[in-house]
Amino acid sequence: MVTSLPPRSTIPIEETWDLSSLYNSSDSFNLVLENLEQEAKDLNRKFQGKIVDSSTIILVLTDYMAFLEKLVLLSTHANLAVSTDQTDDKAQLQSSKFGAAAAKIGSTLSFITSELLTLPKETVEQAIEESAEFNVFLKKLLRKKPYQLHPEAEKSLAAYSSTFNAPYGLYNTTKMVDMNFEDFEVNGQQYPLSYVSFEGDWEAEPDTEIRRAAFDAFSKKLKDYQHTTAKTYDMQLQTEKTTADLRRYDSIFDYLLFNQEVNRSLYDRQIDLITKELAPHMQKYAKLLQKVHGLDRMTFADLKISLDPSYEPEITVEESKQYIDDALAIMGPDYIEMVDRSYSERWIDFAQNKGKSTGAFCSSPYGNHPYILISWTGRMNEVFVLAHELGHAGHFYNANREQNILNARPSLYFIEAPSTMNEMLVANHLLKNSGDLKFKRWVISSIVARTYYHNFVTHLLEAAYQRKVYERIDAGQSVNAGILNTIKRSVLEEFWGDAVDITDGAELTWMRQPHYYLGLYPYTYSAGLTISTQVSKRILNEGQPAVDEWLEVLKAGGTKSPVELAQMAGVDITTEQPLRDTISYIGELVDELVRLTNEIEAE
Ligand SMILES: [Zn+2]
């Protein structure tokens, strides 16, 4: 049963994360920030106009790297403090203050990139040869040369960076602060509603009348804010379009994919192939849900119910640890030590409270340990969510130790591979240890309804919608709520065919996703899961050697491109094969669910 969320101030400390390791609590945040602003000015004075040869390149980058290592701890603190309570004015102020200071710092230090890129190519190449430390960073930087603007223009743009980031902040303010949900009523009874409770509970509520009423009440509130949210989103899109044009990219897609180090065909393939080939399998799954639940019609509001709600094991935080330890043990003692520390040293924020960001995420500041945000509902499903976030943690726990701060992060294309890998490891572990039909069906339906649904359906449909939006923007047009609703609806209808009724309110789903402020992110979920599905199969079949290769991939961080990283783990993503294999694997899982359901019903 959902209850109103308590304010953050009443949450027991053991359910919260400990942010004190991010900066020495005896120093005030402001003081450290002021010192860093001064340091940036010192760096500017020391090097501006003086980066002339390979040895000064190496000197400036050495200082810059040390500077970034300090900055990242503050930025992480500013972001994390506000993420657990958007209504906390103090945290909001700290975050804005940091944003403003970071923009100033960015502008003060923009000369580094500018000067490096105005140097003759041979000078940079000489530094690449002389320095193993900066080799990868400089190679990536050289790729940017054709898109670089005049140093003064770069400086001005950097000074505006917090303004450029403003749409994302506005989006969150509308969603988390302004939008207040009233209780909704079913048969004379009142039920509380919030973003977190809708996405965490009501969407999966087994009682059809309550679930659909929650969806209607939720959609009604979204609708009140559709125009503000659309305008905010359009501002983001127009900023991206202007940047792409100013920097002379051929298209907004080329601009947004540039840092991902993948070409357009890898992007398009994910969207096209999944929309076409996965849709029939997922329609079959929707029909199975409808049959099992005896629904008159299958609506958009019914897609998140579990196959067997009477069989959703409850789990405490303490119990989750045992499952996760057992499932991830295959990753070795060093990995498990990280898992243990994440619980015992309060790296994880489990609380459910008012104003907390929805969903779950992991933040892995360089030189510190990872932090995980999750809103623990007590359902077994959370083991998958937590394993996923620990996958991100395990990735950067390894990469941050092995690589310098400039080389630790790989392309976004690869980011969701280690996280979804852990979901597969949990599923494989649970399946291996169960002979019970109902438990087996629960595990497989968790993989289908959570892991694959989330990454191959939810985010993929976001990606298909996002591509249509960007096509519009690239043609010089803008968007408003009506246009976004129409695009979203058409994407949903195309995918679900006649298996699902796309009810009123479904078209507003575009309002729910913060990913649209992070570029071409949504499609990378299915890209990452394609890689992890293939590697997890190798781990099942080959054991230790496959695990060892995977750990090497994690340690490589951002020193390799996504194609190279996948190759290290034995997967060739330059072909369609891994994606096709993954789609047919999902088809097999859905068939297995149909088979198990028939067996259970025949008992
Ligand atoms: Zn993730």
Side-chain angles (χ1 to χ4, degrees):
M1 180 51 60
V2 177
T3 49
S4 277
L5 292 175
R8 179 75 178 173
S9 56
T10 62
I11 300 295
I13 194 156
E14 63 274 14
E15 290 181 25
T16 66
W17 55 26
D18 177 12
L19 297 183
S20 67
S21 72
L22 284 170
Y23 67 95
N24 188 339
S25 55
S26 64
D27 295 327
S28 82
F29 183 92
N30 293 339
L31 191 68
V32 180
L33 191 55
E34 273 165 35
N35 286 343
L36 280 176
E37 283 183 72
Q38 188 52 48
E39 250 183 73
K41 284 182 202 154
D42 295 343
L43 263 175
N44 183 295
R45 242 192 313 274
K46 188 167 162 197
F47 288 106
Q48 186 169 26
K50 293 171 195 145
I51 308 175
V52 289
D53 53 21
S54 60
S55 58
T56 39
I57 292 177
I58 293 167
L59 280 176
V60 71
L61 287 181
T62 306
D63 281 8
Y64 180 54
M65 205 162 70
F67 178 84
L68 286 180
E69 287 180 16
K70 288 180 244 173
L71 188 71
V72 75
L73 300 182
L74 280 193
S75 73
T76 307
H77 190 277
N79 291 333
L80 295 188
V82 82
S83 70
T84 51
D85 189 4
Q86 308 267 350
T87 67
D88 180 345
D89 289 339
K90 215 177 118 213
Q92 285 283 7
L93 278 177
Q94 188 194 61
S95 166
S96 319
K97 190 170 175 142
F98 180 81
K104 254 193 256 168
I105 289 170
S107 181
T108 311
L109 296 182
S110 72
F111 78 94
I112 299 176
T113 313
S114 289
E115 287 191 22
L116 288 174
L117 287 176
T118 38
L119 285 173
K121 205 168 162 226
E122 301 71 49
T123 311
V124 180
E125 277 166 351
Q126 199 188 334
I128 289 174
E129 242 170 72
E130 286 170 14
S131 160
E133 179 104 83
F134 301 121
N135 177 304
V136 177
F137 174 79
L138 288 170
K139 274 187 194 157
K140 285 185 186 175
L141 196 71
L142 270 187
R143 280 182 72 224
K144 289 192 183 148
K145 205 170 162 73
Y147 310 104
Q148 188 71 1
L149 303 175
H150 186 276
E152 281 305 316
E154 291 291 347
K155 194 176 166 194
S156 306
L157 288 179
Y160 271 113
S161 71
S162 79
T163 313
F164 291 152
N165 292 331
Y168 186 36
L170 264 176
Y171 168 79
N172 276 322
T173 305
T174 309
K175 176 176 170 178
M176 304 310 299
V177 185
D178 279 346
M179 227 182 263
N180 267 306
F181 294 86
E182 292 91 38
D183 293 358
F184 65 98
E185 193 184 303
V186 180
N187 294 326
Q189 200 175 332
Q190 302 283 323
Y191 300 93
L193 184 63
S194 67
Y195 237 107
V196 172
S197 71
F198 179 74
E199 293 186 341
D201 290 286
W202 294 126
E203 248 188 326
E205 165 64 41
D207 184 310
T208 300
E209 216 179 324
I210 299 178
R211 179 179 67 251
R212 290 182 184 169
F215 179 79
D216 288 341
F218 181 73
S219 303
K220 193 167 161 277
K221 182 56 73 179
L222 287 188
K223 203 171 178 150
D224 288 343
Y225 291 86
Q226 60 174 333
H227 300 295
T228 306
T229 310
K231 198 82 196 159
T232 306
Y233 182 32
D234 191 52
M235 205 195 305
Q236 168 82 16
L237 297 167
Q238 300 305 336
T239 307
E240 287 168 339
K241 170 69 176 157
T242 307
T243 309
D245 287 347
L246 279 178
R247 293 194 181 282
R248 303 175 295 270
Y249 285 91
D250 288 338
S251 75
I252 199 162
F253 293 99
D254 292 310
Y255 161 56
L256 293 169
L257 288 174
F258 184 83
N259 282 331
Q260 292 188 17
E261 299 172 81
V262 293
N263 60 33
R264 182 85 189 262
S265 73
L266 263 78
Y267 166 74
D268 283 331
R269 177 207 294 158
Q270 289 302 120
I271 300 174
D272 294 334
L273 213 58
I274 297 177
T275 308
K276 199 164 117 256
E277 294 191 7
L278 182 66
H281 298 307
M282 293 316 292
Q283 289 174 14
K284 193 193 268 187
Y285 172 71
K287 285 182 178 146
L288 176 66
L289 279 181
Q290 180 179 10
K291 181 181 146 241
V292 168
H293 286 269
L295 298 174
D296 50 339
R297 59 197 183 110
M298 186 69 188
T299 76
F300 184 77
D302 304 320
L303 282 167
K304 293 287 177 72
I305 38 177
S306 57
L307 204 48
D308 185 357
S310 66
Y311 197 90
E312 172 71 66
E314 301 252 314
I315 189 161
T316 63
V317 165
E318 213 20 70
E319 288 161 347
S320 73
K321 186 166 174 296
Q322 193 57 53
Y323 276 101
I324 287 180
D325 273 351
D326 293 345
L328 303 185
I330 191 162
M331 297 293 285
D334 181 59
Y335 202 95
I336 289 303
E337 190 197 309
M338 176 206 75
V339 173
D340 290 345
R341 287 182 61 201
S342 71
Y343 279 85
S344 65
E345 297 176 16
R346 288 174 47 223
W347 299 359
I348 309 170
D349 201 87
F350 290 101
Q352 279 190 301
N353 63 261
K354 227 171 166 322
K356 182 163 167 175
S357 289
T358 60
F361 68 75
C362 175
S363 171
S364 305
Y366 193 86
N368 206 286
H369 60 72
Y371 283 93
I372 291 171
L373 178 141
I374 183 173
S375 289
W376 192 261
T377 61
R379 278 200 284 265
M380 183 90 174
N381 234 344
E382 303 288 9
V383 174
F384 284 96
V385 182
L386 195 51
H388 175 109
E389 299 310 333
L390 284 164
H392 290 303
H395 187 185
F396 291 106
Y397 187 70
N398 280 289
N400 287 354
R401 282 185 307 190
E402 298 290 327
Q403 308 298 340
N404 69 39
I405 191 168
L406 300 170
N407 289 350
R409 280 197 91 75
S411 153
L412 207 52
Y413 187 94
F414 192 79
I415 286 291
E416 295 300 334
S419 51
T420 51
M421 174 66 152
N422 280 6
E423 294 188 46
M424 301 311 295
L425 293 177
V426 168
N428 290 343
H429 168 73
L430 293 176
L431 279 178
K432 205 171 66 193
N433 293 295
S434 163
D436 180 66
L437 282 183
K438 281 196 161 185
F439 186 72
K440 208 169 163 187
R441 181 172 73 162
W442 178 83
V443 177
I444 295 176
S445 73
S446 296
I447 318 174
V448 172
R450 208 210 98 72
T451 307
Y452 285 107
Y453 194 99
H454 191 68
N455 299 294
F456 264 70
V457 181
T458 306
H459 291 319
L460 195 277
L461 294 180
E462 289 164 15
Y465 150 88
Q466 191 185 37
R467 187 170 63 177
K468 289 190 180 188
V469 170
Y470 277 123
E471 279 165 359
R472 244 190 106 80
I473 300 300
D474 215 28
Q477 294 174 295
S478 59
V479 296
N480 60 30
I483 291 163
L484 296 173
N485 290 344
T486 307
I487 296 176
K488 187 74 211 185
R489 174 171 286 278
S490 74
V491 166
L492 293 173
E493 284 173 349
E494 190 190 337
F495 187 80
W496 291 109
D498 55 9
V500 179
D501 194 349
I502 307 302
T503 23
D504 279 352
E507 73 282 0
L508 297 166
T509 315
W510 61 267
M511 294 176 64
R512 291 166 56 180
Q513 190 47 265
H515 288 162
Y516 300 134
Y517 296 86
L518 305 172
L520 297 178
Y521 187 28
Y523 92 99
T524 63
Y525 280 83
S526 64
L529 183 53
T530 302
I531 297 168
S532 62
T533 300
Q534 299 307 313
V535 180
S536 72
K537 278 191 185 173
R538 284 195 56 212
I539 291 180
L540 270 185
N541 298 332
E542 300 163 38
Q544 202 57 47
V547 172
D548 292 342
E549 283 179 24
W550 188 242
L551 286 170
E552 287 310 309
V553 171
L554 300 184
K555 289 175 188 163
T559 56
K560 302 257 189 304
S561 75
V563 170
E564 292 167 330
L565 289 169
Q567 212 120 50
M568 282 174 75
V571 184
D572 180 7
I573 55 168
T574 61
T575 76
E576 285 186 352
Q577 205 52 44
L579 180 55
R580 282 188 190 272
D581 285 352
T582 303
I583 292 172
S584 54
Y585 174 65
I586 303 171
E588 286 165 27
L589 292 174
V590 173
D591 288 343
E592 179 75 5
L593 284 178
V594 173
R595 205 161 33 241
L596 283 167
T597 300
N598 289 337
E599 256 184 79
I600 289 165
E601 283 174 357
E603 268 182 350

